[in-house]
Amino acid sequence: MSEKLTAKEYAEKLLYTPEYAADKQADVKEKAAAFAEGYKKFMDSAKTEREAAVVSEQMLLAAGYKAFEPKKAYAPGEKVYFIQENKAVVAATIGQKPYEEGFRLVIAHIDCPRLDLRPNPLYESDHMSYFRTHYYGGVRKYQWATIPLAIHGVFTRADGSSVNFAIGEDENDPVFCITDLLPHLGAEQNERKLSEGIKGEELNVLIGSDTVEEEDVKEAVKLNTLILLNQKYGITERDFTRAEIEVVPAAKARDVGFDRSMIGAYGHDDRVCAYAELKAILDIEAAPEKTCVCILADKEETGSDGVSGMQSSAFECFMEELCDSQNVPLRRCFANSFCLSADVTAAFDPNFPEVSEKRNDAKLNYGMGICKFTGARGKSGTSDASAEVVAYLRKLFADNGVVWQMSELGKVDQGGGGTIAKYMANRNIDTIDAGVPVMSMHAPFEVVAKFDCFMTYLGVLAAYKA
Ligand code: MN
Ligand code: MN
């Protein structure tokens, strides 16, 4: 029966080569560009996890989501949400099927690498005032010097009231920075390893140089800075110990390239997936088949611990309370659930091909990157989705016009990493990682392709509607 094929025919039939996909679909490009406009706005108003939670809540409220009431039985199509400790977001759209048949979960994280202020940050040195910082997450420290920085955060006062603030984002605001040596005096510093180009203890943010008028005061610049802060926010030096203040790049999200095909911004990891997830759950029109849950977690960059991290029982507490209203054991619901862990993946960088595995790494404009497994050094700490789960997702994407690619994090033994996928998989939920490929991940200015952002949105939407 088998007919003899030519080599060319065999090649077409048998071989697989991932394809650059962005140029294949003309109207998708326009849709991707429109989607990117909304995303850039989101990014400019969500520079910290707290701000991302506030903006997400506004979007949810505008779409008719109501604050979750634990004992209440919800009907299909009802929309609920809750904010965990001001830093994480959970939203659910109730499905038609009973909870026993499982949820459709999509999880992302809204915390990003940055510089946090220490509890006693303010000091003066040689007539300049500074903030001392403790970096948060995987930061390449040298990247944070000599760029404009903004300061965002919250002070809680002795009376229990709190004040949120952000300085450095408005065009008329001042900005801040970490200084570096001039090349003329940098010879010795040049001999340092790149990881110590700027050391952790050198990440001190310059915040002032003016003094109070009376000359006889000790540390007059520091005092002057504090007087200004007191006038504006009513705080004293002591109040820094009751604060959470983050130093982030002051730049706004911008189109990148003459063709505007990419977006550069601080915090794509993982707000690019968080936004796609939020947009997708808001765009589910009728009551979905299964209950859709959107989780935007905090503390991924430091291991997902704590009350607002993915390991917190706050998230399953919410789902358990939902399940209780239908007398369904949470474990039963989890066993029948599916979770898409939407986190960014490292994109191949033609500038640094030596760390990549070109056959397996994600590329910009090749679509949403599915990551079957994570981990490092022999997949240690991996969450490895089964072949069946990959097959399920591939079919889902094929049925919904989602352009996707497989991805892995660079060469074996070059490095590695993990996501929050394992914390769901450990709860007996079938989970797989997929998300937007990013260049310069964790840098103050990361780059993604608009096409991939839009495909990730379509991918999440498909997962919700399945
Ligand atoms: Mn991430
Ligand atoms: Mn990260």
Side-chain angles (χ1 to χ4, degrees):
M1 282 296 282
S2 66
E3 51 177 323
K4 178 95 173 116
L5 300 179
T6 66
K8 201 171 165 229
E9 285 165 338
Y10 270 126
E12 266 171 32
K13 196 174 167 187
L14 302 178
L15 296 179
Y16 166 70
T17 319
E19 279 186 339
Y20 173 80
D23 60 348
K24 295 266 178 346
Q25 313 186 18
D27 70 320
V28 167
K29 241 186 204 178
E30 282 158 32
K31 287 183 195 158
F35 180 81
E37 292 309 305
Y39 173 54
K40 284 185 287 179
K41 282 206 190 82
F42 174 82
M43 288 302 265
D44 291 344
S45 52
K47 300 285 278 274
T48 66
E49 65 280 25
R50 281 174 182 267
E51 290 172 3
V54 168
V55 181
S56 302
E57 185 174 23
Q58 288 166 355
M59 290 167 71
L60 289 163
L61 287 170
Y65 283 76
K66 303 233 159 62
F68 175 62
E69 294 173 50
K71 299 260 175 324
K72 198 170 159 187
Y74 289 99
E78 285 201 88
K79 300 166 170 185
V80 294
Y81 81 96
F82 84 91
I83 307 291
Q84 171 71 359
E85 305 263 334
N86 298 312
K87 297 183 214 177
V89 181
V90 180
T93 302
I94 309 302
Q96 301 171 46
K97 293 275 164 78
Y99 300 147
E100 187 158 10
E101 292 187 31
F103 293 153
R104 290 287 170 263
L105 295 142
V106 186
I107 58 175
H109 66 94
I110 49 176
D111 62 315
C112 302
R114 62 186 188 245
L115 310 177
D116 284 345
L117 291 202
R118 292 178 169 183
N120 290 305
L122 184 60
Y123 74 100
E124 172 172 340
S125 177
D126 301 278
H127 302 282
M128 311 276 237
S129 59
Y130 292 92
F131 277 150
R132 292 190 72 70
T133 65
H134 193 140
Y135 64 96
Y136 171 97
V139 162
R140 304 193 78 191
K141 302 175 199 91
Y142 71 90
Q143 295 175 334
W144 291 72
T146 68
I147 58 166
L149 298 169
I151 301 178
H152 293 235
V154 60
F155 284 108
T156 53
R157 303 192 191 93
D159 65 2
S161 64
S162 64
V163 54
N164 290 291
F165 69 97
I167 318 164
E169 299 297 345
D170 189 274
E171 256 171 55
N172 300 311
D173 281 354
V175 292
F176 311 90
C177 67
I178 293 162
T179 56
D180 195 2
L181 278 177
L182 61 169
H184 318 66
L185 294 176
E188 221 169 273
Q189 187 195 27
N190 285 346
E191 300 307 314
R192 293 185 188 177
K193 283 177 8 194
L194 187 58
S195 60
E196 291 179 352
I198 298 282
K199 296 177 185 172
E201 292 295 336
E202 291 166 345
L203 291 171
N204 300 315
V205 183
L206 180 59
I207 54 168
S209 68
D210 202 0
T211 61
V212 285
E213 263 151 37
E214 298 103 289
E215 297 285 314
D216 55 343
V217 184
K218 219 176 100 210
E219 300 197 312
V221 182
K222 171 178 165 176
L223 183 62
N224 189 57
T225 303
L226 206 47
I227 290 170
L228 293 173
L229 285 168
N230 180 266
Q231 285 167 351
K232 197 151 187 207
Y233 305 110
I235 56 139
T236 67
E237 186 172 16
R238 203 64 209 280
D239 291 329
F240 281 105
T241 57
R242 289 188 290 257
E244 244 174 40
I245 301 170
E246 304 180 10
V247 179
V248 298
K252 292 204 175 349
R254 302 288 293 268
D255 286 347
V256 171
F258 286 113
D259 55 14
R260 296 180 175 267
S261 59
M262 298 164 281
I263 308 167
Y266 160 69
H268 284 316
D269 174 13
D270 185 31
R271 293 183 195 135
V272 68
C273 296
Y275 179 75
E277 189 180 324
L278 205 52
K279 277 290 283 174
I281 200 162
L282 297 182
D283 287 351
I284 300 170
E285 279 149 20
E289 188 111 324
K290 305 269 181 74
T291 294
C292 296
V293 182
C294 157
I295 298 179
L296 309 180
D298 179 33
K299 294 290 181 290
E300 191 276 344
E301 297 295 356
T302 53
S304 298
D305 294 293
V307 283
S308 51
M310 198 63 246
Q311 297 194 69
S312 165
S313 65
F315 304 104
E316 60 191 44
C317 188
F318 165 79
M319 290 182 269
E320 186 163 27
E321 280 164 341
L322 270 185
C323 286
D324 281 351
S325 70
Q326 292 187 1
N327 291 318
V328 173
L330 181 67
R331 283 168 300 154
R332 186 74 4 243
C333 171
F334 277 176
N336 293 324
S337 291
F338 171 76
C339 177
L340 184 65
S341 165
D343 202 349
V344 298
T345 170
F348 171 77
D349 187 337
N351 228 0
F352 301 99
E354 61 278 10
V355 300
S356 296
E357 210 292 274
K358 218 172 171 180
R359 286 171 170 279
N360 285 289
D361 283 0
K363 295 177 193 69
L364 248 55
N365 285 312
Y366 280 57
M368 190 177 190
I370 300 177
C371 206
K372 182 182 182 296
F373 56 84
T374 53
R377 298 170 309 281
K379 296 191 180 179
S380 182
T382 190
S383 177
D384 197 341
S386 72
E388 291 81 356
V389 172
V390 181
Y392 168 77
L393 196 67
R394 275 189 50 173
K395 177 158 184 348
L396 202 62
F397 284 1
D399 293 346
N400 289 278
V402 181
V403 178
W404 58 272
Q405 57 183 324
M406 293 308 288
S407 70
E408 209 187 323
L409 191 58
K411 276 187 176 153
V412 169
D413 291 339
Q414 188 75 43
T419 69
I420 52 180
K422 61 180 168 190
Y423 305 117
M424 301 310 270
N426 291 349
R427 288 161 165 149
N428 193 24
I429 300 170
D430 272 337
T431 304
I432 183 164
D433 276 303
V436 178
V438 178
M439 289 173 93
S440 308
M441 196 194 292
H442 284 204
F445 194 70
E446 305 173 309
V447 176
V448 295
K450 291 180 180 177
F451 178 78
D452 302 330
C453 298
F454 185 59
M455 282 303 144
T456 298
Y457 159 76
L458 290 185
V460 173
L461 196 60
Y464 275 142
K465 286 184 170 173

